[in-house]
Amino acid sequence: MKTASTAPAPIASSPTNSDPASPSGVPLIIPAKTSRLENGVSRKEEKAPQGQISRIATTFPADTSSPRSPQPEKPSVAELRRGIIRIDAVSPDGNPRSLIILTGLKNLFQKQLPKMPREYIARLVYDQNSRALAIVKRGWKVVGGILFRPFPHRNFAEIVFFATASVDQVKGYGGMLMNHFKAHIKKTYPGMLHFLTYADNYAVGYFKKQGFTKEITLDRSVWAGYIKDYEGGTIMQCTMLRKVDYLQTKEILTAQREAILSKIRQKSRARTVYEPLPQFLEAPPGEAMRIDPQDVPGLRETGWTFDMAQAAPPSIINPHHSKMQQLLTDLQNHPQAWAFLTPVNGEDVVDYYDVIKKPMDFQTMEHKLSHNMYSSIEAFVADAELVFDNCLLYNPEGSVYAKNAIKLKKYLQDQLAELAKSFQ
């Protein structure tokens, strides 16, 4: 299956200069420069803004104690609320209205999925077993849609086609349509919780954002022989949660975030500032010293013991793993990335591996990333640049491959610049 995906808009909050306050709304004031002896440890408490407490406790760079400004409404949501677009459920029931919308969906899929045979798309759209959800704009213009085949007796549905009009992809139609699709399935087929689809390399990133995974937990005997198998596609699964209202996901996540931050603020001791270890003041310069970890001020109060450190398993996930994953997904979804998605076929390009001694591609990078083979983000970037450098080395300067490599290399540099800003 192929799809045109949309990326969620970044969420940002504006810093404020308001006075820090406790969860109850009363300004948080802690006596400054007050020293006392507790458990044999000299401790000093200073005034610490509540925002700083939240920042330390949650590792978020934003000041989470300040009231969050309302997030801007996505264009897709605004258009739906104002009646500019609507979402219709249709089936090939012979109704003139249904036939008009299905024909609009057929035309949209044929335009957005040019590699799929036009006759094949038409046959599936008008198939009596197919169902669809369409975004209809100003009358009868279809600007997005999902074609699916439900199998209620097998407790799953297959997403056959998914697409939105190119000019509307930046408005958030894709995410909105998927949420409405999940809500529609829950209402129409109450016992159906699973979706399966074959996604091409351009669509994998989008489906991951919508809750799909490459790990298929649904027993093969349930779906084998029922869904369409597409050569070169990646089968993906999504399992819904019964208690979740998928039309209220933004509100649910916001409420959960605020509840967690509130608990952290109540339990955090991040405002406590301890005196430094006296050993550092008394030891001669350059002389090594041995310190019992439990002598570190504040460590004993946390309940930490040396046995806990020995028992803790080593971290195998690079701290920048999620950033690298996002970068790779963005590169894979780029319109000019088609030549770099998989390894070069040596049978098609017979002399490629005679020229290129260190081949690299996005599929290999995905494998390395999933197996934690990148020790740093620099190693990840080196492989990405190797993809483009190999292309420029093998292909003529004015070829479409070389032009695409230059565009993607520039795109990667821009993404890295934005990433660097987030670390400042």
Side-chain angles (χ1 to χ4, degrees):
M1 177 197 147
K2 300 181 185 295
T3 180
S5 63
T6 60
I11 299 176
S13 58
S14 302
T16 66
N17 296 321
S18 58
D19 291 334
S22 67
S24 63
V26 180
L28 180 65
I29 301 176
I30 303 172
K33 300 181 180 179
T34 300
S35 299
R36 62 180 182 270
L37 198 66
E38 292 186 4
N39 297 323
V41 179
S42 175
R43 189 172 77 173
K44 178 176 68 177
E45 294 186 343
E46 298 179 350
K47 179 177 178 180
Q50 182 71 19
Q52 185 184 32
I53 297 171
S54 300
R55 185 158 55 245
I56 295 173
T58 64
T59 71
F60 282 112
D63 186 349
T64 53
S65 70
S66 304
R68 291 174 60 83
S69 57
Q71 299 301 321
E73 191 176 42
K74 287 188 176 181
S76 57
V77 177
E79 290 184 3
L80 184 65
R81 176 177 52 79
R82 292 157 54 192
I84 297 176
I85 60 174
R86 66 180 189 274
I87 298 179
D88 290 347
V90 292
S91 62
D93 54 10
N95 186 291
R97 169 187 168 278
S98 300
L99 290 176
I100 292 173
I101 296 177
L102 286 173
T103 302
L105 280 172
K106 173 185 70 72
N107 294 337
L108 175 69
F109 293 146
Q110 289 176 342
K111 181 179 180 180
Q112 297 299 119
L113 310 174
K115 294 184 180 180
M116 299 295 293
R118 298 171 67 86
E119 297 79 7
Y120 177 73
I121 291 177
R123 178 161 58 86
L124 287 180
V125 168
Y126 295 119
D127 189 287
Q128 291 298 313
N129 295 318
S130 296
R131 300 293 183 268
L133 215 61
I135 302 178
V136 184
K137 190 172 188 177
R138 291 194 175 94
W140 301 100
K141 181 181 180 182
V142 176
V143 295
I146 293 181
L147 185 75
F148 65 97
R149 297 197 306 162
F151 298 97
H153 61 295
R154 314 295 288 182
N155 194 30
F156 83 95
E158 175 199 10
I159 297 178
V160 183
F161 298 130
F162 178 96
T164 58
S166 300
V167 296
D168 295 313
Q169 289 178 2
V170 296
K171 296 181 179 180
Y173 280 7
M176 179 189 69
L177 182 58
M178 184 60 74
N179 285 335
H180 277 267
F181 172 67
K182 293 175 181 177
H184 172 73
I185 292 295
K186 289 184 68 175
K187 180 180 178 181
T188 310
Y189 309 96
M192 189 181 297
L193 297 176
H194 308 283
F195 307 138
L196 290 174
T197 189
Y198 271 94
D200 65 14
N201 288 321
Y202 295 102
V204 168
Y206 165 79
F207 280 109
K208 283 183 178 180
K209 293 177 182 178
Q210 304 305 321
F212 285 73
T213 175
K214 296 179 183 179
E215 182 181 354
I216 309 302
T217 59
L218 198 60
D219 193 276
R220 183 177 178 83
S221 62
V222 174
W223 55 269
Y226 285 85
I227 69 174
K228 304 290 182 182
D229 188 357
Y230 296 95
E231 184 179 354
T234 301
I235 189 169
M236 302 186 73
Q237 174 185 324
C238 176
T239 300
M240 292 192 294
L241 301 175
R242 296 181 184 275
K243 295 182 179 181
V244 174
D245 181 356
Y246 288 94
L247 298 182
Q248 300 292 325
T249 52
K250 179 180 178 181
E251 291 77 7
I252 292 172
L253 292 175
T254 300
Q256 287 181 333
R257 181 181 187 276
E258 293 303 324
I260 292 172
L261 290 177
S262 177
K263 287 292 184 182
I264 291 175
R265 294 188 195 106
Q266 293 174 17
K267 297 179 178 295
S268 174
R269 296 183 179 179
R271 58 182 170 275
T272 303
V273 180
Y274 294 89
E275 294 285 358
L277 288 169
Q279 290 92 328
F280 292 117
L281 300 176
E282 301 170 357
E287 182 177 324
M289 66 184 72
R290 185 179 297 276
I291 300 175
D292 185 343
Q294 289 195 331
D295 288 341
V296 177
L299 196 58
R300 185 186 292 109
E301 287 85 342
T302 67
W304 181 89
T305 65
F306 190 70
D307 292 338
M308 294 169 60
Q310 292 179 320
S315 175
I316 60 173
I317 300 295
N318 187 288
H320 299 308
H321 184 275
S322 62
K323 296 293 185 183
M324 292 188 287
Q325 182 64 66
Q326 184 60 53
L327 278 173
L328 182 58
T329 299
D330 290 343
L331 287 171
Q332 291 173 321
N333 291 336
H334 196 282
Q336 274 75 46
W338 51 271
F340 313 112
L341 296 175
T342 57
V344 173
N345 189 328
E347 296 181 358
D348 296 335
V349 190
V350 292
D351 65 336
Y352 183 82
Y353 293 101
D354 295 332
V355 178
I356 303 301
K357 302 302 182 183
K358 294 179 62 179
M360 185 54 60
D361 59 274
F362 293 160
Q363 186 180 85
T364 302
M365 290 180 63
E366 184 175 6
H367 173 80
K368 293 178 68 173
L369 186 59
S370 64
H371 289 78
N372 304 313
M373 297 172 68
Y374 287 117
S375 59
S376 66
I377 197 167
E378 288 78 14
F380 171 86
V381 172
D383 268 358
E385 292 183 338
L386 180 60
V387 174
F388 310 134
D389 292 342
N390 286 345
C391 178
L392 295 172
L393 175 62
Y394 182 83
N395 295 284
E397 183 177 348
S399 66
V400 64
Y401 301 101
K403 291 179 180 179
N404 287 348
I406 292 172
K407 289 179 181 178
L408 256 73
K409 192 169 186 177
K410 174 65 165 58
Y411 176 76
L412 174 62
Q413 292 170 349
D414 292 342
Q415 294 295 94
L416 291 172
E418 291 296 322
L419 183 62
K421 291 180 182 178
S422 68
F423 290 137
Q424 293 177 355

